[in-house]
Amino acid sequence: MWAGAENQGNFLGRISIRRNQVASMEPDTHVEDLDQFHKLISDKFSPLLTDYPHHHDHDGDATPSAAGDAFLSAAWVRKLLDAFVSCEAEFRAVLLNGRDLTQIVKPPLDRWIPDLFDRVVKALDVCNAVTHGVEAIRFMLHQAQIVASALEQRPFTEGQIRRARRALAAVLSSIVVDERDGGGKTTERSWSFGRRGGGASSKERHHAPNFRSLSWSVAKNWSAAKQIQAISSNLYTPRGGECSLAQSVYIMGMVLVFVMWAMVACIPCQDRAGLGTHVPVPKNLGWAQSINVLQEKIGEEWKKKEKKGSSGLMDEVVKVEKLAQSLTELTDNFHYPMEEDKEAEMAAKAAKLAEVCRRMEDGLGPLQRQVREVFNRLVKGRADVLEVFDHAIKHCNPSV
Amino acid sequence: MESEDGGAGGGGGLETAEKIILRWDSTVSEEAREKMIFSGDRQEVDRYLQAVDEIQRSLHSTSLSSPSSGDRNPTLQIAMARLEDEFRSILLSHSSAVDSDSLLVDTPRSNSGSSHLDHFSAAAGEAEPESDAGDAGDVDAGSFTDGSSHGGGRGGSSSSRRSIKSATSIREIDLIPADAIADLRSIAERMIAAGFLRECIQVYGSVRKSAIDASFKNLGIEKLSIGDIQRLEWEVLENKIRRWIKAAKVCIRTLFASEKRLSEEIFEGLGSGSGSDDACFLETVKGPAIQLFNFAEAISISRRSPEKLFKILDLHDALADLFPDIEIVFDSKQAESIRVQAAEILSRLAEAARGILSEFENAVLREPSKVPVPGGTIHPLTRYVMNYISLISDYKQTLNELIVSKPSSSGARYSGDQSVPEFDFGELEEERTPLALHLIWIIVILESNLEGKSHHYKDTALAHLFMMNNVHYIVHKIKGSPELREMIGDEYLRKLTGKFRLAATNYQRAAWVKVLHCLRDEGLHVSGSFSSGVSKSVLRERFKSFNAMFEEVHRTQSAWLVPDTQLREELRISISEKLLPAYRSFLGRFRSHIESGRHPEQYIKYSWEDLDAAVMDLFEGNPAAQQLRRKSGLYFARAFFISKIVGDRVRKEYSGTALLELGKQFTT
């Protein structure tokens, strides 16, 4: 049965002119649903493409709300997750609208649906990794906040600069994530005077390496990039003859892969080497257009940052990184008293840093909650669909 | 010996203070880099702290308006950097992991449920339901808190707090000795006053987190992804669940609770706003708590199958048991996400248990095996299901809370499904809990499945015997467990009893009516003949066919099996009670006709003692067909006649009512 269907599919695939005719001849109650699903995806993902500072010119791009919505910002990631949640809800409705359960136990859906929920389980681990990634960002935020508060008042004194320098070192070390090592360094602040000589007891030194693995609750060999690859494996574009419900299952898998990929690109996760290559979003499909463009844009950003080893593409993190680098330069060349323009420059950067920190402080909590919300949705959706699916399987094949 | 700088410092005091602080500036002095103040001379500690106070006082008096200006004073900056290092150093010297032995000793209210599972694996066998596992694991660990206090050898200062919380199961230990806590607090106080709260939190969090990480390792808490857990064999996971339950208790009640107390002891009441202690605590524990819960979460979303029910219930019970303590340890607003997550996992475990129960019902309904069990004995499915539901009854306390809806016998789920039996729960007069209704429902669908299986026997008598055996086993298991009996209720139990009795009647009818038919009077008398009135040839045919049928029944039914001894005995008696009197009376009336002819032994092969003995061979499950023996010759029969009658009477009295009634139905 299945082999036959496959052959037919290949055959139809070769005669591409006929594909649509054959598909339209098939009695399919889900065609309308599919159209709606396509539309929803376009509606939800294309706003994410909008270049906010330009788009909101009339609002003035300096206003916090406009700046806060910037491409790849925490607020943007939340919108991405919003879009995902809407698609997931629509998908569940399409699948469970009860019109015909017989379809879901026939090929290819009898395999695609369990496959989809294997992907979902893998995505749950990504959600957990991202949650921890947000914790790592929060550590960086706290160090950046120390910098900002150290440099709040002018004129700058030697004492303030010393304090800022120490926190800056922590900010930058938290940003340089060693991909292979899981980047666990992020939770340490240095001693006030570089490496200690013989002062620390052997016991103290013994404990130092433990700092490394702390922020990661996943196993050592877990890799975000490989996880994304695993989520996208066996995700084939349906052939023309496939029913529209199969198309929906495919699309949902696609959207899942894309959103998880984008999230991992934005937020630090263990081992992201090779992340740039793992998303097979199909080209030339109307509904996938906005996702295509988003993927290209994020992919470009990723290529730029990948070599340096970064803690992710999240706009705020990138901004903090840049500000921390120039502030480090400024503080390294600090002499008291500071020249007027240098001091003004430093103060301006410190103020910007404080502003980014405020946005992060506001954004990270809701982001973390929303990642959890996605997690919960995925769990619920999986349970609901699998229950119906298992029952349908048994119902249709009583001997199983 | 009083410190020389003690008391109120004047202008000279400030100068001395600055000197002390600069002397310990580790960026300048080699000696300052090598040594830690707090691990040396206590007088120096006091001097240093007073020096910091001195400088802060002087700053306050010069600029009252801006308290944060403290961080702009170079000397104070040096002091703060120094204090941060000192703070870290003290924390590090007390950051050894709590050793697992002392942690694992403390397993108060060790869940009796954990022992249930070992029985489940035997559920397919003849395992008896657990009834006495209750208190075996209840180890009182009263000496624990005193015995393991680390290093300090004190314990008085926190006893008051401990007594406040004694209502819960929280058992804090001293992670850091009191004198070190006092030092940490004196440093934290000064850092926070100078606006260095964030530094303080960061240092504290990073050191304590690594200590927790080490304790996690000691407790065997692994870093497994959800994917890892989905891939593991359930048996492996059962062990991990058992370990996790123990570890989670230690984590919540001892490890996290002690961390909370430690952060309170160091930070409580410091700083302008409240909550710095809580911030420090959460900085330390949030990640580990999420890591801990991750395992239970992964289990709660694993694929549902019947064998998982009881371990999932153990996990649910353990987490439910811990929940009040989780609420105490994570009581702040900032810790809300942790409380919420614990609640989510708990409800997912409950959902999983409900799902598994319905999965189980579905599996019982559709268990597909078609090969009849030899001899009509108890089907493995019956054993499995009954052991399963008596385990369910062991968990009734939990399940009564979780199972709140009635079985979906007539629900949409099964609508149109011919294989689902009809059962109207409204028929039951007594009020039953939803769980009890589910148990009854499981028995209903088990019966229905068995009924289907019985049709695969070619011999209808054997089909009835099969139903009798299995329903009797169901009744027997229910009566054997007081919990189960109470839940199922006498009303339904009576119905079941009626069912196996009916099956026994049907069996006897199917197997014996044709045998007894040979012994009827009709057709023997030849009308119009005055001499005897009995046709000898018909009579001979009757005896011959009786012998043949009886031998056949004996041969086949000796291979059949009634495993329950009492039931077997009752069934044999019931057969004897019909067969023997009928044979005896037939023999009594017509024997002379045969004996007067040739070769009487060809027709009267068996005495009724022979038959009685032969009936005793039945249902033993001896597959090798037994030869029907003739123990006593026909002519000895009379000698036993009287004693036999006495024996029958005795038997009738103890055979009870169960099968006696059969006689009435049987003869009609």
Side-chain angles (χ1 to χ4, degrees):
Chain A
M1 177 81 182
W2 166 237
E6 195 164 45
N7 288 337
Q8 193 191 25
N10 286 336
F11 174 70
L12 291 170
R14 264 179 261 126
I15 311 169
S16 54
I17 310 154
R18 286 206 170 176
R19 195 185 282 170
N20 291 330
Q21 295 169 352
V22 174
S24 63
M25 275 157 62
E26 195 178 304
D28 196 333
T29 51
H30 289 277
V31 170
E32 234 170 82
D33 288 338
L34 184 63
D35 286 346
Q36 237 173 349
F37 198 29
H38 284 164
K39 189 174 177 311
L40 180 80
I41 289 168
S42 299
D43 288 354
K44 290 289 171 182
F45 282 92
S46 50
L48 292 164
L49 276 168
T50 316
D51 206 349
Y52 283 92
H54 293 296
H55 186 72
H56 289 286
D57 251 357
H58 53 281
D59 294 331
D61 62 3
T63 60
S65 71
D69 284 356
F71 186 55
L72 302 181
S73 65
W76 182 90
V77 177
R78 282 170 57 202
K79 283 196 170 158
L80 176 77
L81 297 182
D82 269 341
F84 177 77
V85 165
S86 316
C87 291
E88 198 273 340
E90 176 70 15
F91 171 72
R92 219 190 299 179
V94 166
L95 201 63
L96 299 180
N97 67 4
R99 263 187 248 163
D100 67 66
L101 291 176
T102 52
Q103 261 198 42
I104 68 173
V105 297
K106 283 192 293 198
L109 286 173
D110 63 330
R111 279 196 324 192
W112 285 17
I113 288 176
D115 277 358
L116 176 64
F117 290 102
D118 282 351
R119 296 179 216 288
V120 164
V121 169
K122 292 183 177 113
L124 295 178
D125 275 324
V126 173
C127 289
N128 279 344
V130 165
T131 301
H132 286 279
V134 175
E135 283 299 308
I137 293 178
R138 198 170 266 145
F139 171 81
M140 191 199 72
L141 165 67
H142 290 149
Q143 298 301 333
Q145 283 172 325
I146 292 171
V147 176
S149 73
L151 300 177
E152 226 163 21
Q153 283 183 315
R154 295 163 68 180
F156 299 124
T157 62
E158 180 66 38
Q160 282 169 279
I161 298 298
R162 269 177 76 165
R163 185 185 183 192
R165 230 183 257 153
R166 204 173 169 186
L168 281 166
V171 170
L172 290 175
S173 79
S174 74
I175 283 171
V176 180
V177 175
D178 180 354
E179 292 284 345
R180 260 156 303 162
D181 203 42
K185 287 175 201 162
T186 48
T187 50
E188 188 167 23
R189 256 173 79 82
S190 61
W191 295 83
S192 65
F193 38 85
R195 297 228 173 276
R196 280 173 69 80
S201 71
S202 62
K203 194 180 173 193
E204 288 165 21
R205 253 184 276 124
H206 174 71
H207 277 280
N210 283 343
F211 291 124
R212 303 173 70 83
S213 58
L214 285 178
S215 46
W216 310 99
S217 79
V218 286
K220 269 206 186 90
N221 55 1
W222 193 86
S223 153
K226 283 187 188 132
Q227 192 78 1
I228 298 293
Q229 197 174 15
I231 296 175
S232 66
S233 72
N234 295 324
L235 188 56
Y236 303 120
T237 321
R239 288 171 291 267
E242 231 89 77
C243 69
S244 61
L245 206 52
Q247 305 265 3
S248 301
V249 171
Y250 165 74
I251 292 170
M252 193 60 225
M254 200 62 257
V255 170
L256 180 73
V257 175
F258 169 71
V259 169
M260 292 298 138
W261 174 81
M263 209 158 57
V264 169
C266 287
I267 294 159
C269 283
Q270 182 169 299
D271 188 6
R272 294 180 292 177
L275 188 67
T277 57
H278 291 324
V279 187
V281 181
K283 309 281 176 194
N284 311 324
L285 289 177
W287 61 269
Q289 208 169 18
S290 44
I291 292 182
N292 279 331
V293 181
L294 282 171
Q295 190 209 354
E296 249 164 60
K297 282 180 81 174
I298 297 170
E300 271 166 35
E301 291 294 314
W302 180 259
K303 255 180 241 162
K304 274 189 246 163
K305 299 285 263 168
E306 189 179 24
K307 285 168 209 141
K308 284 189 265 176
S310 78
S311 58
L313 301 180
M314 192 191 276
D315 183 59
E316 288 88 343
V317 174
V318 173
K319 288 210 167 87
V320 166
E321 183 181 10
K322 274 189 191 142
L323 288 166
Q325 272 160 354
S326 48
L327 281 170
T328 304
E329 231 164 83
L330 287 167
T331 50
D332 281 349
N333 301 319
F334 174 80
H335 295 289
Y336 186 82
M338 237 180 159
E339 295 152 40
E340 183 72 24
D341 55 335
K342 286 267 174 201
E343 192 177 83
E345 189 189 346
M346 199 193 271
K349 298 231 186 264
K352 265 192 183 165
L353 185 66
E355 157 63 17
V356 179
C357 284
R358 262 194 298 280
R359 280 211 319 261
M360 266 177 127
E361 176 116 72
D362 294 343
L364 290 184
L367 176 59
Q368 217 165 16
R369 276 195 294 280
Q370 203 170 1
V371 172
R372 180 73 191 163
E373 167 73 9
V374 167
F375 182 102
N376 286 341
R377 293 266 183 154
L378 289 173
V379 168
K380 180 83 169 73
R382 172 176 171 270
D384 288 357
V385 176
L386 283 183
E387 194 191 345
V388 171
F389 181 75
D390 286 348
H391 184 243
I393 286 271
K394 279 167 192 148
H395 190 86
C396 298
N397 318 309
S399 59
V400 171
Chain B
M1 202 188 293
E2 281 283 45
S3 167
E4 64 248 53
D5 305 293
L14 189 60
E15 252 173 61
T16 323
E18 286 187 342
K19 233 188 270 171
I20 292 169
I21 285 164
L22 291 174
R23 197 166 68 221
W24 285 103
D25 181 357
S26 41
T27 57
V28 177
S29 140
E30 186 65 27
E31 197 204 351
R33 211 167 307 172
E34 295 294 316
K35 287 186 187 161
M36 298 312 294
I37 302 171
F38 280 79
S39 57
D41 183 8
R42 292 305 303 179
Q43 281 184 22
E44 188 63 16
V45 170
D46 292 339
R47 269 197 294 275
Y48 195 86
L49 291 177
Q50 278 166 7
V52 174
D53 292 343
E54 189 68 39
I55 294 194
Q56 275 184 318
R57 251 199 309 279
S58 76
L59 289 172
H60 274 283
S61 59
T62 51
S63 61
L64 282 165
S65 56
S66 160
S68 71
S69 64
D71 65 354
R72 305 180 67 226
N73 178 292
T75 319
L76 196 65
Q77 290 286 342
I78 293 165
M80 287 303 134
R82 180 80 221 181
L83 284 179
E84 187 183 324
D85 289 347
E86 295 288 340
F87 193 73
R88 181 201 307 272
S89 164
I90 299 169
L91 283 170
L92 277 174
S93 63
H94 297 288
S95 68
S96 56
V98 181
D99 70 289
S100 59
D101 290 343
S102 61
L103 287 176
L104 287 172
V105 164
D106 187 26
T107 50
R109 289 197 258 137
S110 162
N111 195 348
S112 63
S114 62
S115 55
H116 289 309
L117 250 291
D118 305 322
H119 282 258
F120 179 69
S121 50
E126 190 63 84
E128 284 304 309
E130 179 89 64
S131 57
D132 59 348
D135 302 317
D138 203 331
V139 179
D140 180 37
S143 62
F144 173 66
T145 42
D146 304 326
S148 65
S149 59
H150 279 245
R154 45 131 228 167
S157 74
S158 57
S159 60
S160 58
R161 192 193 303 275
R162 195 171 297 151
S163 65
I164 292 166
K165 289 186 178 171
S166 65
T168 78
S169 310
I170 287 174
R171 286 159 200 263
E172 296 120 333
I173 55 171
D174 297 325
L175 297 165
I176 293 181
D179 50 352
I181 288 175
D183 284 346
L184 289 168
R185 189 173 165 87
S186 64
I187 294 172
E189 194 176 2
R190 285 162 180 84
M191 286 182 75
I192 291 168
F196 283 67
L197 172 64
R198 285 205 177 94
E199 275 96 334
C200 214
I201 292 175
Q202 292 294 311
V203 172
Y204 181 83
S206 69
V207 178
R208 289 313 308 166
K209 231 189 258 184
S210 78
I212 293 181
D213 206 41
S215 297
F216 265 31
K217 280 195 187 107
N218 285 351
L219 286 166
I221 298 170
E222 298 165 285
K223 293 180 178 180
L224 291 169
S225 69
I226 293 174
D228 290 338
I229 289 167
Q230 306 298 312
R231 275 190 292 275
L232 285 171
E233 293 287 319
W234 183 247
E235 274 172 45
V236 177
L237 285 177
E238 282 188 352
N239 276 322
K240 288 191 190 296
I241 290 172
R242 207 169 292 146
R243 255 211 330 257
W244 186 90
I245 288 172
K246 277 186 194 160
K249 284 176 179 168
V250 175
C251 280
I252 302 292
R253 291 175 175 155
T254 301
L255 209 55
F256 295 167
S258 304
E259 286 294 342
K260 188 180 169 75
R261 194 180 71 184
L262 180 66
S263 63
E264 283 167 0
E265 283 168 341
I266 297 173
F267 295 102
E268 197 168 47
L270 300 181
S272 50
S274 63
S276 58
D277 54 329
D278 201 58
C280 285
F281 168 63
L282 285 179
E283 176 74 22
T284 308
V285 154
K286 197 175 176 190
I290 291 172
Q291 186 194 332
L292 178 71
F293 289 152
N294 186 39
F295 176 82
E297 184 135 60
I299 294 292
S300 75
I301 60 182
S302 64
R303 289 303 295 266
R304 291 162 186 180
S305 63
E307 78 273 13
K308 294 182 179 175
L309 179 62
F310 301 103
K311 256 297 169 259
I312 282 186
L313 287 174
D314 282 343
L315 194 55
H316 175 276
D317 286 356
L319 198 56
D321 202 29
L322 280 173
F323 200 74
D325 298 330
I326 291 171
E327 284 190 309
I328 290 170
V329 172
F330 298 102
D331 59 350
S332 68
K333 179 85 179 71
Q334 283 76 14
E336 194 187 5
S337 67
I338 296 174
R339 294 196 304 273
V340 167
Q341 189 170 351
E344 282 165 355
I345 294 169
L346 200 56
S347 80
R348 259 181 213 141
L349 287 167
E351 191 50 51
R354 282 188 284 267
I356 290 172
L357 189 67
S358 102
E359 193 76 9
F360 178 70
E361 288 170 358
N362 211 10
V364 172
L365 185 66
R366 297 179 196 283
E367 196 277 335
S369 65
K370 287 193 172 74
V371 181
V373 287
T377 187
I378 296 154
H379 197 281
L381 176 69
T382 313
R383 288 182 198 278
Y384 180 86
V385 171
M386 290 315 291
N387 283 306
Y388 197 87
I389 68 173
S390 49
L391 282 174
I392 287 181
S393 72
D394 290 350
Y395 283 87
K396 71 169 182 185
Q397 206 182 346
T398 306
L399 281 169
N400 266 329
E401 286 168 27
L402 300 188
I403 306 296
V404 289
S405 59
K406 289 181 180 179
S408 52
S409 60
S410 55
R413 201 186 146 91
Y414 294 113
S415 60
D417 194 338
Q418 298 297 318
S419 60
V420 179
E422 296 280 321
F423 189 82
D424 183 8
F425 290 102
E427 276 176 26
L428 296 173
E429 285 164 16
E430 299 165 57
E431 193 63 34
R432 301 274 117 202
T433 63
L435 176 65
L437 292 178
H438 275 273
L439 295 189
I440 291 173
W441 174 238
I442 289 168
I443 292 170
V444 168
I445 53 185
L446 171 64
E447 265 186 85
S448 146
N449 186 322
L450 292 170
E451 194 76 50
K453 291 187 194 315
S454 76
H455 298 318
H456 295 290
Y457 288 104
K458 288 192 187 95
D459 190 330
T460 52
L462 184 55
H464 291 307
L465 191 79
F466 170 78
M467 285 311 289
M468 177 201 76
N469 273 331
N470 281 276
V471 179
H472 177 267
Y473 180 81
I474 293 170
V475 170
H476 179 76
K477 286 299 275 192
I478 295 170
K479 285 184 172 166
S481 154
E483 309 259 276
L484 206 51
R485 183 175 189 155
E486 201 248 308
M487 274 197 281
I488 301 286
D490 286 339
E491 190 188 351
Y492 189 68
L493 196 60
R494 270 197 300 276
K495 281 193 175 179
L496 284 172
T497 307
K499 272 189 183 146
F500 86 75
R501 283 181 188 163
L502 181 64
T505 309
N506 289 339
Y507 150 76
Q508 296 189 47
R509 219 175 252 157
W512 293 97
V513 163
K514 60 182 190 296
V515 180
L516 290 173
H517 205 60
C518 303
L519 305 179
R520 71 191 188 280
D521 278 6
E522 301 94 86
L524 285 175
H525 296 276
V526 183
S527 57
S529 166
F530 289 93
S531 57
S532 67
V534 170
S535 160
K536 259 188 196 171
S537 62
V538 174
L539 191 61
R540 281 179 179 156
E541 276 312 303
R542 286 287 188 82
F543 270 109
K544 272 171 86 173
S545 61
F546 173 83
N547 292 340
M549 277 187 194
F550 185 77
E551 280 160 19
E552 172 61 17
V553 165
H554 177 264
R555 189 180 60 76
T556 52
Q557 300 198 11
S558 295
W560 294 2
L561 193 59
V562 178
D564 185 84
T565 45
Q566 201 189 330
L567 181 63
R568 187 169 62 221
E569 189 61 20
E570 286 182 11
L571 193 61
R572 286 168 178 166
I573 288 164
S574 172
I575 292 165
S576 298
E577 275 167 355
K578 270 136 242 163
L579 181 66
L580 297 186
Y583 191 64
R584 198 160 55 224
S585 112
F586 194 74
L587 212 56
R589 277 177 290 148
F590 302 112
R591 186 170 53 204
S592 56
H593 298 283
I594 300 292
E595 283 174 343
S596 62
R598 279 176 298 165
H599 304 301
E601 73 282 356
Q602 280 186 3
Y603 306 103
I604 307 179
K605 280 169 83 175
Y606 305 109
S607 69
W608 54 263
E609 285 87 0
D610 291 332
L611 296 188
D612 194 25
V615 167
M616 289 302 139
D617 291 335
L618 303 181
F619 318 126
E620 292 282 1
N622 296 322
Q626 259 186 352
Q627 201 58 46
L628 184 55
R629 287 151 301 160
R630 294 165 65 176
K631 271 189 251 164
S632 52
L634 178 63
Y635 298 99
F636 298 104
R638 265 174 231 275
F640 292 94
F641 190 73
I642 294 169
S643 68
K644 185 66 194 164
I645 290 170
V646 176
D648 278 351
R649 274 195 198 134
V650 173
R651 274 193 195 168
K652 264 182 197 166
E653 275 169 28
Y654 82 80
S655 69
T657 54
L659 289 167
L660 272 177
E661 291 164 18
L662 285 175
K664 293 173 204 156
Q665 298 168 337
F666 196 38
T667 48
T668 54

